[in-house]
């Protein structure tokens, strides 16, 4: 697999020369300064590509070319936005950047309730606590009918929490769920926005009456419209699974499990319509086994995120070590290297460690933690590639011996 790294552009404190030193080969990035929905010009793309190349690296994957909300909920501006999207894709194609990651999650991208969940060894990682999330939904957003999404036991726990939670904790919850984890990925809400909860509620309203079937149709519409450009320029689109992979806040989520993945692959049956296999997102749902999904969808996977999670009691999950948890990363590398070798892969989030905490990195995107994870994954890849080499040699020897035996017996 190609070792790639998510880099947030020239302003990223983790610089390209640093990445060269730790063995990164390809860069995963986006034109972060271009507002969502606007065309990525060929000049801006070429500029960034050349900058990356001047450090001996290549721009391997775009993450993300964001899909505007109006495309997802089929607003009046949908066709105009799709035209812009196609133009950006064509420009990327002309510049030779041909793997494009995006997501089709309404309003909210990935969700965590805690950015610094402590481990006994002094490091920390990202965490999702179902009751705190339900608290945000029921007591902060005060979403109509939210109660019907939770069990009586969960509702009671939310009421208990309400008695002890501090204002600071409530503020942190809002900041974590809809600002810190979102600002740098989807542009809906940014750091510094006044009253993010009100903005968020307005966004939720846009999806009134849109269920899973309708969202699926909107995804089919979008993919069908862009496929001709992808065919022309050889662009591989790869949708990121919903993180976590279940329904939230009354919004439809449509990339959560095997059936969902099969649906969108069949809906637009074109090799350029593919998947970002995010082991972390998929493994956060107990209904998913990453190994089965990888076996099934390896050929339509264009990009891999290697990260693991540990599902815990009550619907909580934690981002675990890359060597452990429900991600089964060693086995995934084996499956991908056998069935679709050489895919770009990036270690996804890493733990906060050794001073990462004070650097102001984007949530999840620490330096030491990700470097540590990359070293672990590098080791896993070396072992798998060795195994595969041995397998080829053994097959060759067996075949030779077999043929010689046959010849002798003739
Ligand atoms: C979170 C990321 C996601 C991902 C987008 C792709 O860390 O994995 O935000 O970049 O969903 O569009």
């Amino acid at each position: 697999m190609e070792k790639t790294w998510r880099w947030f552009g020239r302003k990223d404190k983790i610089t390209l020369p640093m990445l060269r030193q730790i063995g990164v080969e390809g860069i995963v990035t986006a034109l972060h300064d271009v507002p969502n929905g606007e065309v990525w010009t060929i000049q801006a793309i070429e500029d960034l590509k050349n900058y990356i190349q001047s450090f001996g690296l290549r721009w391997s994957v775009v993450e993300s070319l964001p899909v505007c909300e109006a495309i997802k909920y089929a607003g009046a501006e949908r066709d105009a936005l799709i035209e812009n999207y196609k133009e950006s894709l064509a420009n990327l194609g002309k510049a030779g950047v041909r793997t494009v990651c995006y997501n089709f999650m309404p309003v909210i991208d990935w969700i965590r309730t805690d950015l610094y969940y402590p481990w006994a060894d002094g490091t920390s990682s990202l965490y999702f606590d179902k009751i705190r999330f339900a608290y945000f939904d029921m007591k902060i957003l005060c979403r109509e009918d939210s109660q019907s999404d939770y069990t009586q036991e969960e509702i009671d726990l939310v009421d208990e929490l309400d008695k002890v939670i501090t204002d600071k904790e409530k503020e942190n919850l809002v900041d974590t769920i809809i600002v810190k984890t979102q600002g740098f990925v989807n542009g809906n809400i940014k750091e510094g926005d006044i009253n993010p909860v009100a903005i968020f509620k307005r966004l939720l309203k846009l999806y009134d009456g849109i269920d899973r079937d309708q969202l699926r149709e909107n995804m089919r519409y979008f993919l069908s419209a862009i496929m001709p450009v992808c065919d022309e320029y050889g662009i591989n689109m790869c949708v990121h699974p919903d993180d976590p992979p279940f329904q939230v806040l009354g919004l439809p989520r449509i990339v959560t499990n095997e059936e969902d993945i099969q649906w969108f692959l069949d809906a637009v049956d074109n090799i350029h319509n593919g998947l970002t296999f995010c082991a972390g997102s998929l493994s956060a749902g107990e209904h998913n086994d990453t190994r089965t999904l990888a076996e099934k969808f390896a050929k339509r996977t264009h990009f891999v995120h290697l990260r693991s999670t540990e599902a815990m009691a009550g619907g909580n999950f934690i981002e675990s070590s890359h060597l452990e948890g429900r991600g089964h990363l060693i086995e995934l590398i084996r499956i991908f290297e056998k069935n679709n070798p050489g895919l770009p892969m990036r270690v996804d989030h890493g733990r906060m460690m050794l001073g990462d905490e004070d650097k102001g990195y984007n949530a999840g995107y620490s330096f030491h933690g990700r470097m540590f994870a990359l070293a672990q994954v590098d080791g896993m890849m070396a072992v798998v590639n060795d195994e595969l080499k041995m397998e080829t040699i053994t097959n060759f020897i067996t075949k030779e011996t077999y043929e010689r035996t046959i010849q002798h017996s003739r």
Side-chain angles (χ1 to χ4, degrees):
M1 294 176 122
E2 181 194 13
K3 283 182 280 177
T4 68
W5 181 278
R6 191 173 196 183
W7 174 74
F8 294 99
R10 291 174 166 92
K11 287 182 225 146
D12 197 326
K13 289 178 191 134
I14 303 164
T15 63
L16 296 177
M18 287 162 80
L19 299 182
R20 265 309 288 274
Q21 289 195 26
I22 62 171
V24 168
E25 298 158 339
I27 293 301
V28 174
T29 193
L31 296 185
H32 286 283
D33 294 330
V34 179
N36 286 3
E38 281 183 23
V39 173
W40 288 16
T41 63
I42 183 87
Q43 198 195 336
I45 295 168
E46 287 284 355
D47 271 2
L48 190 61
K49 185 186 93 176
N50 293 336
Y51 181 76
I52 293 169
Q53 286 180 351
S54 71
F55 293 94
L57 294 158
R58 61 180 163 264
W59 186 355
S60 305
V61 178
V62 171
E63 180 172 355
S64 304
L65 182 55
V67 177
C68 292
E69 296 300 333
I71 296 180
K72 296 182 216 162
Y73 67 80
E77 328 83 290
R78 157 163 82 165
D79 288 335
L81 287 167
I82 292 180
E83 282 313 306
N84 285 359
Y85 203 97
K86 283 160 65 178
E87 214 175 314
S88 299
L89 286 179
N91 289 341
L92 284 165
K94 285 177 201 154
V97 186
R98 300 210 169 90
T99 304
V100 177
C101 169
Y102 69 102
N103 73 70
F104 220 79
M105 292 177 248
V107 182
I108 187 161
D109 192 310
W110 58 305
I111 306 173
R112 299 292 181 274
T113 54
D114 195 339
L115 303 181
Y116 306 99
Y117 192 85
W119 289 74
D121 59 11
T123 61
S124 67
S125 61
L126 304 170
Y127 181 63
F128 177 86
D129 181 300
K130 177 121 190 250
I131 299 307
R132 287 193 171 245
F133 184 67
Y135 185 90
F136 165 78
D137 189 5
M138 286 163 50
K139 305 281 185 193
I140 296 180
L141 284 182
C142 305
R143 187 174 60 88
E144 222 178 287
D145 287 339
S146 51
Q147 299 229 350
S148 60
D149 285 4
Y150 305 100
T151 62
Q152 190 52 50
E153 199 188 339
E154 287 165 348
I155 295 171
D156 292 344
L157 287 168
V158 168
D159 288 335
E160 285 305 307
L161 179 60
D162 197 33
K163 292 182 195 145
V164 293
I165 192 167
T166 63
D167 285 346
K168 184 79 202 137
E169 280 179 294
K170 286 187 209 171
E171 232 174 77
N172 278 344
L173 208 49
V174 169
D175 199 42
T176 300
I177 297 176
I178 60 179
V179 184
K180 286 257 163 33
T181 48
Q182 305 300 305
F184 68 99
V185 287
N186 85 13
N188 276 340
I189 297 180
K190 294 171 286 308
E191 297 265 353
D193 278 345
I194 316 282
N195 204 345
V197 172
I199 304 178
F200 193 74
K201 282 173 142 181
R202 276 201 297 278
L203 288 163
L204 287 182
K205 273 248 153 283
L206 297 171
Y207 287 85
D208 272 357
I210 299 193
D211 60 9
R212 272 170 54 83
D213 287 342
Q214 187 56 54
L215 189 66
R216 278 183 165 183
E217 280 318 309
N218 298 348
M219 186 179 188
R220 188 210 300 269
Y221 184 94
F222 165 71
L223 286 170
S224 309
I226 62 168
M227 276 304 121
V229 182
C230 297
D231 289 337
E232 187 177 345
Y233 292 99
I235 290 179
N236 286 328
M237 293 299 293
C238 34
V239 73
H240 189 283
D242 303 336
D243 179 2
F246 39 76
Q247 311 305 307
V248 291
L249 306 174
L251 294 164
R253 305 258 258 185
I254 56 171
V255 192
T256 64
N257 59 23
E258 181 173 340
E259 193 244 321
D260 280 353
I261 297 171
Q262 193 65 61
W263 183 87
F264 85 82
L265 293 177
D266 292 346
V268 178
D269 194 11
N270 180 323
I271 187 67
H272 300 301
N273 170 29
L275 178 68
T276 294
F277 195 99
C278 178
S281 308
L282 292 166
S283 65
E286 282 186 287
H287 53 279
N288 289 326
D289 183 322
T290 54
R291 296 157 295 187
T292 318
L293 296 176
E295 287 281 3
K296 186 148 186 197
F297 300 118
K299 292 270 186 324
R300 291 284 287 268
T301 295
H302 300 310
F303 180 33
V304 181
H305 285 182
L306 290 181
R307 172 165 71 76
S308 191
T309 60
E310 199 62 79
M312 296 157 95
N316 305 340
F317 64 87
I318 188 158
E319 297 201 356
S320 62
S321 145
H322 286 64
L323 286 166
E324 287 158 14
R326 304 186 72 253
H328 299 290
L329 303 191
I330 301 176
E331 192 52 26
L332 292 192
I333 294 171
R334 219 172 255 137
I335 295 168
F336 284 118
E337 288 295 61
K338 271 193 193 161
N339 298 295
N340 196 354
L343 286 174
M345 123 10 242
R346 72 171 176 85
V347 296
D348 208 357
H349 315 150
R351 275 190 261 173
M352 288 284 207
M353 61 201 296
L354 305 170
D356 283 331
E357 302 79 1
D358 322 319
K359 301 290 192 306
Y361 296 140
N362 287 327
Y365 292 90
S366 61
F367 180 57
H368 294 120
R370 277 192 293 164
M371 176 172 76
F372 186 70
L374 178 60
Q376 291 175 322
V377 166
D378 218 358
M380 299 180 208
M381 293 200 306
V383 171
V384 168
N385 288 328
D386 234 44
E387 275 173 17
L388 291 177
K389 246 183 259 154
M390 283 310 293
E391 222 173 87
T392 318
I393 294 170
T394 318
N395 285 344
F396 177 75
I397 294 173
T398 321
K399 196 165 159 253
E400 283 269 282
T401 323
Y402 173 77
E403 273 163 9
R404 245 181 283 134
T405 322
I406 295 281
Q407 261 168 13
H408 274 299
S409 63
R410 274 196 192 120

